[in-house]
Each structure stands twice: as structure tokens, then as C-alpha cells.
């Protein structure tokens, strides 16, 4: 049978695994129960397993019957600090945590790929690394796994790396998409504390009010972005928190705000940090106030290798049909720590529509919503694509090596 047909046979088991993971979500780098479930699901396969030293990662290595290069497949495992409101019978039992971004599907699909590829070990000319990663949601789990040597797990660095990510909205059920070049944004965080001198609200001239200065910074940052960056190489700066004061007639000593900063090129990413800091310091100085600034670079731009993106498109067309693939017109302003892997290895991030077929994709709750719902029906197709990408990429490399006389 074909990989896709075999994947259909795994559908029920993958659904049970996904729903078990969904009911017991874990957040951050420490996912002991999730790690245990993944390890158990891989039990009995000819896959060498190892666990992270400082995080609950699982790395699996499947060595083919013949020597060859290495391909890496990644699935993230962590949930979000979101209280679920879907009403599903397998809803989160954790209360304040939820798999609102579909990482439970990614984990189940990667387990499925391990099963499919293990059954075809004799056809593999090389090795496959299965990267089960915690801490994607703001904890840089990929960076931690790279530091612990995931790229060298098979003994040779991967020649290609692939990751799948499901969408609960915007993308039709079962549709795959990717793009050449920048696919997701870099993500940074700007934290600002303006320091003044408190006083009575009726006598601001006897105080040093930090609130007007902080408000001016918020507005000036928006103007700075729109007047300093190419609209075809955009930057998005959104202030998500603003805190100051305790009572209407009291001028506080401090005003604080935090912003997320997104960019799509290394050039814009490099300029936004210095510019944002300069704007805030200048306004503080003009008001005679002190300011503390913390600019944290979180994840770099996720850049797909053009040839690997083409390879993904061809593989989807051959395995699932041309009608199941569409090129993405533009990058997404979300960010991904798979960017760390793609900074070291050519590869691609691929999106898969998992909006339930009976919902309107343009109106359905999106990823990270407490109402986000994902269709388990895509699990088999996702597992099949993971497996086919590895099989075909290793076969292609072997064929190219034979054609050039290299070993």
C-alpha cells in the first residue's frame, strides 16, 4: 500500500493520541506527561530515543537500511495558558491551559510519520530525526534543542528540515500552503518603564508625570514605524500592555508598557531595535524623565529555502493532488522558533488547513483563541506528508549522489 493509504489506517490511533494530549495540555519547556505519552507511542519502533537534559524534549532517530544523509522532521508539543471554551468532550482538564494552537495535532502527526517510516526502513537510504519539541510558545524550545545537539543526533547534520503547522481558520480544510523565502516574521519584545515623581493630581507642576510621556512614546513609535520603513518590507509594532497609577487624583511615579515587534527581513529587524529605543529615550529626555528599556530579540525571521519550498509543493501535488496545494501570497506576522532550525538547515515550514469542514474558514476562531477547534481528519494526511517528504528527500539525495559519483 502507499504511504497515504497506510496513513489512513493510522487515523483512529492518531485521533486517540491527539485527544489524550489535548485533554492534558502542558505549557513551556517542562512537559513530563506529554513526553511520557510520546515515548510510549513510539515504543516498539526501531527508533533510537533520547530525552532533553534541560527540557522535556524527545528526539528520535530512525536509521535506514542503507547509509545516506539525514532529514529532520519537527513537531512542537506545548500548549498555551488559555482557558478552553470549545465545549468538546475531550476539552482540556487543566483549566487554565489549552492546546489552542494545534500542537497536539503536530505531535500526533509526527508519531504517525515515525510509524510510517519505520515500516519502510528498508527503503531508507539515510536517517530521519524526529524532533518532538516543547516550548515553542515563547520559550525558545528549538533553540534549547539545538544547543543540546538535535542537529547532530543521527551523526550527520540534516540536509533538509520540515515542519507542519495546522490552522483552525483562514485556510480551507485539508489545504497545504507554503512560500519561498520569508514565511513568518521575526518577533521581539520591547518593555518600557518611564520614571517620574508622584504627586497630587490637582498640582501636576509639583510632580513629574510619567503618563503623558509614556502615551507620547506609544504614539511616536507608531509614527516611527510608518515613516521609517519600506511598506513593502513592513514592521508591525503593537503595544499590548499599558499600566500606570492607582487612583484618578494621584500622579504615579511609574508608567509601564510592553510591545510586540514583528519584522520580515534581517535589515528591518536590525533597524527597528535601535530606532525604537532611540524614540523612547528622546521623548523621556524631552520631558526630563528617566526611562528603563528592555528590548528582547525572541525569534528571527522564518525563511524557507526556495528549492525546499518547491520540493514541498511537488510532494503535496504528487501525494495528495494538485488541488490540495496553494502558494502563500505573503508572509504571516506570527513567529516561529523553527526559524532557528532553518537558520542552520535548508528546509520549509508548511501550513495545513484544519478548520472543521462544516465551519466558515473566514469566520472560525483562529489559532490561540479559547474557541479554536481543529479537525482530527487531517491527521493522516499530515503524517503522510511528513513521511513522504523524508522518503523522497533521502531518495533524491541518493540519486543525485549516484549521478555525480559521490558517496
Amino acid at each position: 500500500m502507499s504511504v497515504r493509504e497506510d496513513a489512513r489506517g493510522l487515523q483512529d490511533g492518531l485521533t486517540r493520541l491527539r485527544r489524550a494530549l489535548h485533554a492534558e495540555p502542558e505549557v513551556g519547556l517542562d512537559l513530563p506527561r506529554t513526553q511520557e505519552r510520546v515515548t510510549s507511542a513510539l515504543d516498539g519502533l526501531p527508533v533510537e530515543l533520547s530525552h532533553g537534559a534541560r527540557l522535556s524534549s524527545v528526539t528520535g532517530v530512525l536509521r535506514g537500511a542503507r547509509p545516506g544523509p539525514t532529514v529532520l522532521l519537527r513537531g512542537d508539543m506545548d500548549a498555551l495558558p488559555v482557558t478552553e471554551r470549545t465545549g468538546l468532550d475531550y476539552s482540556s482538564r487543566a483549566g487554565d491551559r489549552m492546546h489552542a494552537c494545534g500542537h497536539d495535532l503536530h505531535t500526533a502527526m509526527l508519531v504517525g510519520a515515525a510509524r510510517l517510516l519505520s515500516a519502510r526502513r528498508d527503503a531508507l537510504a539515510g536517517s530521519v530525526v524526529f524532533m518532538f519539541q516543547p516550548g515553542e510558545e515563547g520559550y525558545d524550545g528549538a533553540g534549547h534543542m539545538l544547543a543540546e545537539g538535535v542537529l547532530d543526533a543521527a551523526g550527520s547534520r540534516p540536509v533538509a528540515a520540515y515542519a507542519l503547522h495546522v490552522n483552525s481558520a483562514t485556510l480551507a480544510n485539508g489545504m497545504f500552503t507554503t512560500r519561498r523565502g520569508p514565511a513568518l516574521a521575526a518577533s521581539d519584545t520591547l518593555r518600557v518603564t518611564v520614571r517620574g515623581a508622584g504627586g497630587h493630581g490637582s498640582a501636576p507642576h509639583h510632580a513629574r508625570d510619567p503618563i503623558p510621556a509614556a502615551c507620547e512614546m506609544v504614539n511616536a513609535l507608531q509614527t516611527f514605524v510608518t515613516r521609517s520603513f519600506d511598506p513593502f518590507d513592513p514592521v508591525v509594532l503593537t503595544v499590548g500592555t499599558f499600566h500606570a497609577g492607582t487612583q484618578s487624583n494621584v500622579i504615579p511615579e511609574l508608567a509601564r508598557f510592553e510591545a510586540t515587534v514583528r519584522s520580515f527581513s534581517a535589515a528591518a529587524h536590525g533597524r527597528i531595535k535601535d530606532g525604537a529605543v532611540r524614540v523612547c529615550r528622546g521623548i523621556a529626555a524631552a520631558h526630563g524623565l528617566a526611562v528603563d528599556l528592555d528590548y528582547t530579540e525572541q525569534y528571527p525571521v522564518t525563511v524557507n529555502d526556495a528549492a525546499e519550498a518547491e520540493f514541498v509543493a511537488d510532494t503535496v501535488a504528487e501525494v495528495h493532488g494538485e488541488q490540495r496545494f496553494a502558494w502563500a501570497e505573503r508572509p504571516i506576522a506570527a513567529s516561529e522558533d523553527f526559524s532557528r532550525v532553518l537558520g542552520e538547515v535548508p528546509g520549509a515550514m508548511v501550513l495545513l488547513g484544519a478548520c472543521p469542514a462544516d465551519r466558515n474558514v473566514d469566520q472560525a476562531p483562529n489559532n490561540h483563541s479559547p474557541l479554536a477547534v481543529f479537525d482530527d481528519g487531517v491527521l493522516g494526511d499530515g503524517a503522510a506528508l511528513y513521511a513522504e517528504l523524508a522518503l523522497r528527500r533521502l531518495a533524491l539525495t541518493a540519486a543525485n549522489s549516484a549521478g555525480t559519483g559521490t558517496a
Side-chain angles (χ1 to χ4, degrees), residues 35-57:
Q35 184 186 60
E36 180 184 344
R37 285 192 184 280
V38 169
T39 302
S40 177
L42 297 173
D43 186 44
L45 300 181
V47 176
E48 303 165 13
L49 296 181
S50 60
H51 295 159
R54 295 183 298 277
L55 69 168
S56 298
S57 60

Side-chain angles (χ1 to χ4, degrees), residues 314-365:
D314 291 343
T315 302
V316 172
E318 292 175 16
V319 175
H320 295 300
E322 292 183 2
Q323 75 283 0
R324 296 277 300 276
F325 181 83
W327 286 106
E329 294 182 5
R330 60 184 66 88
I332 297 171
S335 62
E336 249 287 349
D337 65 356
F338 189 62
S339 57
R340 305 273 191 215
V341 176
L342 295 183
E344 300 285 337
V345 177
M349 166 71 74
V350 187
L351 302 183
L352 170 58
C355 179
D358 60 351
R359 297 192 175 202
N360 185 324
V361 295
D362 296 321
Q363 299 176 1

Side-chain angles (χ1 to χ4, degrees), residues 131-396:
M131 179 180 175
F132 291 92
Q133 179 211 308
E136 188 278 327
E137 297 287 358
Y139 294 85
D140 198 12
H144 287 285
M145 289 192 72
L146 262 63
E148 292 195 355
V150 67
L151 295 183
D152 299 307
S156 64
R157 287 218 151 192
V159 296
Y162 308 101
L164 279 174
H165 203 300
V166 293
N167 278 26
S168 65
T170 69
L171 187 61
N173 184 284
M175 284 293 295
F176 294 89
T177 186
T178 192
R179 74 186 310 273
R180 311 168 191 87
L184 293 99
S187 175
D188 302 333
T189 300
L190 172 65
R191 298 178 179 88
V192 179
T193 301
V194 183
R195 298 185 178 277
H200 199 288
S202 67
H205 57 293
H206 291 308
R208 294 167 62 200
D209 193 345
I211 294 179
C215 291
E216 188 175 334
M217 291 175 191
V218 171
N219 288 329
L221 286 168
Q222 303 304 317
T223 303
F224 164 67
V225 165
T226 60
R227 291 297 177 267
S228 301
F229 291 90
D230 186 338
F232 297 101
D233 184 13
V235 168
V236 177
L237 189 152
T238 298
V239 175
T241 73
F242 193 109
H243 300 285
T246 57
Q247 192 165 309
S248 63
N249 65 344
V250 175
I251 294 173
E253 291 185 348
L254 304 176
R256 297 186 177 94
F257 66 88
E258 296 186 10
T260 185
V261 186
R262 308 295 169 116
S263 54
F264 297 91
S265 71
H269 189 223
R271 288 179 54 220
I272 184 62
K273 175 182 178 179
D274 291 342
V277 169
R278 185 176 65 251
V279 165
C280 294
R281 283 182 175 159
I283 291 173
H287 284 263
L289 301 171
V291 62
D292 298 332
L293 294 145
D294 176 23
Y295 193 100
T296 303
E297 298 182 22
Q298 190 176 31
Y299 298 152
V301 182
T302 301
V303 182
N304 287 341
D305 180 83
E308 294 298 344
E310 294 279 359
F311 175 70
V312 167
D314 291 343
T315 302
V316 172
E318 292 175 16
V319 175
H320 295 300
E322 292 183 2
Q323 75 283 0
R324 296 277 300 276
F325 181 83
W327 286 106
E329 294 182 5
R330 60 184 66 88
I332 297 171
S335 62
E336 249 287 349
D337 65 356
F338 189 62
S339 57
R340 305 273 191 215
V341 176
L342 295 183
E344 300 285 337
V345 177
M349 166 71 74
V350 187
L351 302 183
L352 170 58
C355 179
D358 60 351
R359 297 192 175 202
N360 185 324
V361 295
D362 296 321
Q363 299 176 1
N366 215 324
N367 290 28
H368 288 217
S369 166
L371 298 172
V373 175
F374 301 86
D375 180 15
D376 290 325
V378 305
L379 291 171
D381 285 351
L385 182 64
Y386 265 135
E388 288 282 12
L389 288 171
L391 282 165
R392 292 166 185 250
R393 190 62 177 80
L394 291 176
L396 179 63

Side-chain angles (χ1 to χ4, degrees), residues 92-155:
S92 169
R93 296 197 292 266
D96 59 350
R97 301 188 298 276
M98 175 191 175
H99 271 293
C101 203
H103 296 187
D104 47 342
L105 280 82
H106 307 163
T107 303
M109 288 189 292
L110 192 54
V111 167
R115 292 188 174 279
L116 293 169
L117 290 168
S118 292
R120 290 162 174 78
R121 181 173 174 271
D122 290 344
L124 287 177
S127 301
V128 181
V129 173
F130 304 98
M131 179 180 175
F132 291 92
Q133 179 211 308
E136 188 278 327
E137 297 287 358
Y139 294 85
D140 198 12
H144 287 285
M145 289 192 72
L146 262 63
E148 292 195 355
V150 67
L151 295 183
D152 299 307

